[in-house]
């Protein structure tokens, strides 16, 4: 799957979980820049991402994530 | 050497003069001086356990280097576990040995099996709960490739033993603190002035509010069976403010002293009594412990249970908060306190109301905000009755006493005048912190822009100064969180 498609799908998943309308998606934003993205909703997002893309993360991989760009790259890596 | 003692102020004055005037040229020399001063400070309290602090710090330091160097993931994991087990092992031995060993002995005794173990009169090394968490967090972050280990033992040892935060936190993460030790620090007048203001507010909360509240709550809790339920309710209210004023006062001092040395230490409290629900409260109360637990306990647990939906989340929260409670010490009251807070989260999780609540930027709260604040405060106050009790039976006795019609009577106190004065000081704390709730601390002032700000600030500062002189409790009472 192309990166641009991943970003699109990811935007839909995150927006519906956090109930935000205009989510800004770029590589540098992190959880603390998005209202409502806390330790709890983080795991809900991760679970939904795993279900949608049919992939599985390792905790160590998640611990390394610092921004949206990392998350997109990780999904890309898992899919290819 | 308490922060609020003359000997500490003398030590700090001498130290800071040498720190900025003599040892400021080379950062390595300044760090060595800071490390030696931190060990001197610790030895003044607890010379017996200085060696324990040094050896366990060195263990974390070398394990960090080896975890990073080794390519073999299994070996890496083993080294991480060695580090975690040595930290938790020491904590379990010094803090929880009798808690676990006595019931076990009782169980074996009832089965007619007798072992040669016996209870020990163990003294808790000061600060162990705090420096252990720093050390374990450091190793986990290296294992997760979040940070690179430092190769400078002085920097690492200073990180673990930095004297303003050594005994009771805040628990700073390695990735925010170690870089500050690596670079040259310059004296900044405005930072230092702001730090001094924070120290003043800490002194006010500790000496005027917490210690004076303690005199009243001690009397009320000691004599509650002979007093009406309203007295116990008043004690419970004052104890909530006392615990906050004591621990946040200590934290304000620790952060303020650190800023005088050129360090930015993590925030430990963010005006928790204005929290709109219990999740909001825990994002504002003992923040450094909550953040640590979220990162290293809650996240792995919720990751493990992530396929079980909300039940898994609730389970992760309950375990997390039971451990938060147990962290305070080997007593079932702390476990129940933590469990109760975990239960407080259940309705929020079930109704998806966990998201951070923002207070509107108004002079006074709306009626809904006020109701939510009072509700959250009451839940915390209720839980602190368990926290305060020395045993579960005493906690239940408090509750059975408080549920009575005498709760509507005028509370009886030892000295009505001093109680009213203390309540007045509590209100001052709540008001000043409300108006300053968007700042880093209650006495943070931006440059004076008009005469009104100048006069109101001068009035507040002189009031605090005279309150400390006239009402500041004497006798160098220790900080409540030193016991943890």
């Amino acid at each position: 799957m192309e990166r641009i498609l991943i970003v699109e799908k990811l935007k839909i998943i995150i927006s519906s979980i956090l109930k935000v309308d205009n989510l800004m998606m770029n590589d540098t934003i992190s959880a603390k820049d998005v209202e409502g993205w806390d330790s709890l909703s983080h795991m809900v997002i991760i679970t939904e991402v795993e279900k949608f893309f049919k992939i599985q993360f390792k905790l160590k991989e998640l611990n390394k994530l610092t921004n949206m760009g990392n998350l997109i790259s990780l999904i890309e890596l898992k899919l290819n | 050497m308490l922060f609020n003692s003359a000997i500490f102020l003398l030590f700090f004055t001498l130290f800071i003069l040498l720190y900025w005037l003599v040892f400021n040229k080379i950062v390595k020399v300044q760090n060595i001086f800071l490390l030696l001063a931190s060990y001197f400070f610790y030895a003044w309290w607890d010379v017996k356990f200085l060696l324990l602090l040094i050896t366990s710090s060195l263990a974390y330091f070398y394990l960090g280097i080896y975890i990073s160097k080794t390519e073999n993931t299994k070996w890496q994991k083993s080294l991480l576990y060695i580090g975690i087990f040595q930290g938790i092992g020491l904590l379990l031995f010094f803090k929880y040995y009798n808690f676990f060993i006595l019931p076990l002995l009782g169980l074996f005794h009832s089965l007619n099996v007798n072992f040669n173990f016996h209870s020990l009169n163990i003294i808790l090394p000061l600060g162990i709960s705090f420096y252990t968490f720093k050390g374990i967090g450091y190793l986990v972050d290296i294992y997760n490739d979040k940070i690179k280990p430092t190769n400078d033992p002085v920097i690492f040892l200073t990180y673990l033993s930095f004297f303003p935060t050594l005994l009771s936190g805040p628990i700073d993460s390695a990735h925010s603190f170690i870089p500050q030790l690596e670079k040259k620090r310059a004296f900044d007048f405005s930072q230092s002035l702001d730090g001094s203001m924070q120290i003043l507010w800490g002194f006010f909360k500790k000496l005027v509010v917490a210690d004076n509240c303690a005199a009243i709550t001690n009397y009320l809790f000691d004599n509650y069976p002979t007093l009406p339920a309203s007295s116990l309710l008043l004690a419970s209210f004052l104890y909530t403010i006392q615990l906050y004023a004591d621990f946040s006062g200590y934290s304000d001092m620790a952060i303020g002293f650190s800023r005088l040395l050129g360090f930015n230490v993590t925030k430990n409290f963010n005006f928790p009594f204005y929290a709109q629900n219990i999740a909001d409260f825990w994002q504002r109360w003992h923040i450094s412990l909550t953040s640590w637990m979220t990162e290293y306990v809650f996240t792995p647990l919720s990751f493990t249970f992530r396929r079980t939906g909300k039940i898994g989340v609730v389970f992760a929260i309950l375990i997390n908060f039971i451990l938060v409670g147990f962290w305070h010490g080997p007593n079932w009251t702390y476990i129940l306190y933590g469990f109760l807070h975990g239960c407080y989260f259940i309705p929020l999780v079930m109704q998806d109301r966990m998201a951070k609540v923002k207070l509107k930027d108004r002079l006074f709260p709306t009626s809904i905000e006020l109701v939510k604040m009072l509700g959250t405060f009451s839940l915390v106050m209720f839980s602190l009755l368990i926290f305060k009790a020395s045993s579960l039976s005493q906690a239940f006795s408090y509750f059975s006493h408080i549920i009575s019609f005498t709760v509507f009577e005028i509370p009886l106190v030892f000295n009505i005048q001093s109680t009213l004065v203390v309540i007045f000081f509590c209100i001052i704390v709540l008001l000043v912190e409300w108006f300053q709730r968007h700042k880093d601390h209650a006495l943070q002032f931006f440059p004076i822009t008009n005469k009104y700000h100048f006069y109101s600030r001068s009035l507040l500062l002189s009031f605090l100064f005279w309150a400390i002189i006239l009402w500041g409790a004497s006798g160098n009472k220790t900080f409540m969180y030193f016991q943890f």
Side-chain angles (χ1 to χ4, degrees):
Chain A
M1 193 181 281
E2 280 183 46
R3 195 176 172 90
I4 191 150
L5 274 175
I6 296 175
V7 174
E8 226 170 84
K9 300 290 179 196
L10 200 53
K11 187 175 176 175
I12 296 169
I13 294 170
I14 298 170
S15 302
S16 75
I17 291 169
L18 301 181
K19 297 181 184 83
V20 285
D21 295 329
N22 301 312
L23 180 69
M24 284 288 292
M25 289 287 280
N26 62 53
D27 280 3
T28 53
I29 65 158
S30 64
K32 65 174 185 293
D33 303 319
V34 184
E35 210 174 313
W37 195 333
D38 53 23
S39 53
L40 186 82
S41 51
H42 181 66
M43 214 41 85
V44 179
I45 291 168
I46 292 300
T47 314
E48 285 306 309
V49 168
E50 284 186 327
K51 269 190 214 162
F52 183 85
F53 292 104
K54 296 186 177 61
I55 51 175
Q56 264 206 320
F57 296 117
K58 286 181 185 152
L59 182 60
K60 196 171 175 177
E61 291 166 341
L62 297 180
N63 281 329
K64 281 187 207 171
L65 301 178
T66 54
N67 57 32
M68 190 69 83
N70 296 154
L71 177 61
I72 298 163
S73 303
L74 183 61
I75 298 169
E76 213 177 358
L77 187 80
K78 294 263 170 191
L79 289 173
N80 301 319
Chain B
M1 221 194 301
L2 291 164
F3 286 167
N4 50 327
S5 67
I7 188 74
F8 177 78
L9 295 179
L10 178 69
F11 160 79
F12 192 77
T13 310
L14 282 174
F15 169 77
I16 200 168
L17 286 173
L18 294 168
Y19 180 85
W20 285 122
L21 298 175
V22 180
F23 298 108
N24 63 332
K25 309 285 183 296
I26 305 163
V27 69
K28 282 196 169 195
V29 178
Q30 202 179 31
N31 285 342
I32 291 172
F33 180 57
L34 181 55
L35 178 63
L36 292 176
S38 296
Y39 284 157
F40 174 79
F41 173 82
Y42 193 80
W44 189 281
W45 276 101
D46 212 342
V47 71
K48 294 190 295 297
F49 292 120
L50 179 61
L51 198 63
L52 180 74
L53 169 64
I54 297 172
T55 47
S56 63
S57 302
L58 285 170
Y60 291 123
F61 173 70
Y62 286 110
L63 282 168
I65 291 174
Y66 292 132
I67 288 173
S68 164
K69 266 187 188 168
T70 180
E71 301 277 312
N72 183 329
T73 46
K74 275 189 182 168
W75 184 227
Q76 228 181 8
K77 208 172 208 171
S78 310
L79 289 170
L80 174 70
Y81 286 150
I82 290 171
I84 293 175
F85 285 137
Q86 76 105 10
I88 300 291
L90 286 172
L91 208 55
L92 283 174
F93 175 74
F94 282 107
K95 209 165 168 175
Y96 302 100
Y97 178 87
N98 288 338
F99 181 83
F100 288 112
I101 213 73
L102 290 178
L104 265 182
L105 286 178
L107 179 72
F108 284 122
H109 187 71
S110 64
L111 298 169
N112 278 334
V113 182
N114 289 314
F115 285 102
N116 214 7
F117 289 111
H118 46 83
S119 69
L120 297 174
N121 187 16
I122 300 168
I123 301 163
L124 181 69
L126 272 169
I128 191 168
S129 313
F130 295 89
Y131 69 72
T132 300
F133 273 33
K134 275 173 149 182
I136 291 174
Y138 174 76
L139 295 184
V140 177
D141 284 352
I142 294 171
Y143 175 78
N144 285 330
D145 294 330
K146 268 175 111 176
I147 55 167
K148 293 263 172 253
T150 175
N151 289 314
D152 184 338
V154 174
I155 284 185
F156 183 74
L157 267 54
T158 311
Y159 162 60
L160 277 204
S161 63
F162 181 59
F163 76 85
T165 61
L166 174 58
L167 302 182
S168 265
I171 306 163
D172 247 308
S173 63
H175 59 81
S176 73
F177 199 82
I178 288 180
Q180 298 186 59
L181 282 163
E182 287 169 338
K183 66 172 191 237
K184 191 166 168 27
R185 298 174 287 276
F187 182 79
D188 183 319
F189 181 75
S190 64
Q191 281 280 321
S192 302
L193 186 67
D194 196 42
S196 307
M197 289 292 195
Q198 196 164 0
I199 294 170
L200 177 70
W201 187 243
F203 268 106
F204 174 74
K205 281 196 284 189
K206 168 66 181 160
L207 297 175
V208 179
V209 180
D211 288 351
N212 284 317
C213 275
I216 300 168
T217 55
N218 287 344
Y219 170 79
L220 293 175
F221 278 115
D222 287 347
N223 297 289
Y224 77 95
T226 60
L227 297 170
S230 53
S231 295
L232 191 55
L233 197 65
L234 176 69
S236 167
F237 167 78
L238 288 176
Y239 181 72
T240 307
I241 306 276
Q242 178 196 338
L243 187 70
Y244 169 68
D246 193 287
F247 191 27
S248 74
Y250 160 83
S251 300
D252 277 335
M253 291 181 214
I255 295 168
F257 286 123
S258 307
R259 296 184 75 190
L260 289 175
L261 304 180
F263 291 93
N264 278 318
V265 167
T266 189
K267 217 175 181 179
N268 225 9
F269 288 88
N270 187 21
F271 313 120
F273 295 146
Y274 312 125
Q276 299 283 289
N277 60 38
I278 212 72
D280 191 17
F281 174 82
W282 279 102
Q283 284 170 355
R284 296 161 174 268
W285 177 276
H286 205 173
I287 299 166
S288 64
L289 175 70
T290 316
S291 308
W292 195 98
M293 293 295 291
T294 302
E295 194 165 350
Y296 304 113
V297 178
F298 175 74
T299 302
L301 281 175
S302 57
F303 180 78
T304 311
F305 304 143
R306 70 193 184 286
R307 307 240 180 265
T308 53
K310 285 182 178 171
I311 299 296
V313 174
V314 168
F315 206 50
I317 290 176
L318 283 175
I319 295 175
N320 185 62
F321 275 96
I322 286 171
L323 290 174
V324 167
F326 198 46
W327 173 89
H328 289 87
N331 195 328
W332 284 100
T333 54
Y334 295 134
I335 294 174
L336 184 61
Y337 163 79
F339 176 72
L340 187 61
H341 273 271
C343 292
Y344 286 164
F345 273 80
I346 296 175
L348 298 178
V349 175
M350 291 303 173
Q351 296 167 27
D352 286 325
R353 288 195 292 122
M354 289 285 290
K356 199 171 179 179
V357 208
K358 266 193 180 166
L359 279 170
K360 291 193 176 72
D361 194 9
R362 296 154 53 122
L363 191 60
F364 295 106
T366 62
S367 50
I368 295 173
E369 283 173 346
L370 193 65
V371 168
K372 285 181 176 175
M373 277 181 215
L374 290 174
T376 310
F377 184 91
S378 307
L379 289 175
V380 173
M381 193 172 101
F382 178 77
S383 71
L384 286 178
L385 267 180
I386 305 170
F387 188 89
K388 163 75 183 167
S390 57
S391 64
L392 283 183
S393 59
Q394 189 174 44
F396 294 131
S397 165
Y398 286 157
F399 289 126
S400 59
H401 187 77
I402 217 164
I403 303 166
S404 147
F405 283 113
T406 57
V407 83
F408 300 109
E409 288 180 12
I410 294 170
L412 286 179
V413 288
F414 182 67
N415 181 332
I416 190 136
Q417 272 175 326
S418 62
T419 306
L420 287 175
V421 172
V422 170
I423 291 173
F424 166 73
F425 285 130
C426 292
I427 292 169
I428 293 287
V429 168
L430 295 175
L431 280 179
V432 172
E433 295 206 339
W434 168 260
F435 290 119
Q436 293 286 90
R437 66 192 182 280
H438 300 303
K439 309 279 177 62
D440 281 339
H441 64 88
L443 291 192
Q444 188 167 61
F445 299 110
F446 291 117
I448 305 155
T449 48
N450 60 36
K451 274 186 183 174
Y452 169 74
H453 283 132
F454 175 78
Y455 290 132
S456 55
R457 190 173 83 162
S458 308
L459 193 72
L460 178 62
L461 291 183
S462 14
F463 167 78
L464 295 178
F465 179 77
W466 285 109
I468 291 170
I469 301 284
L470 298 173
W471 279 90
S474 56
N476 290 339
K477 291 186 181 68
T478 190
F479 291 92
M480 293 163 91
Y481 260 67
F482 277 15
Q483 62 184 303
F484 307 132

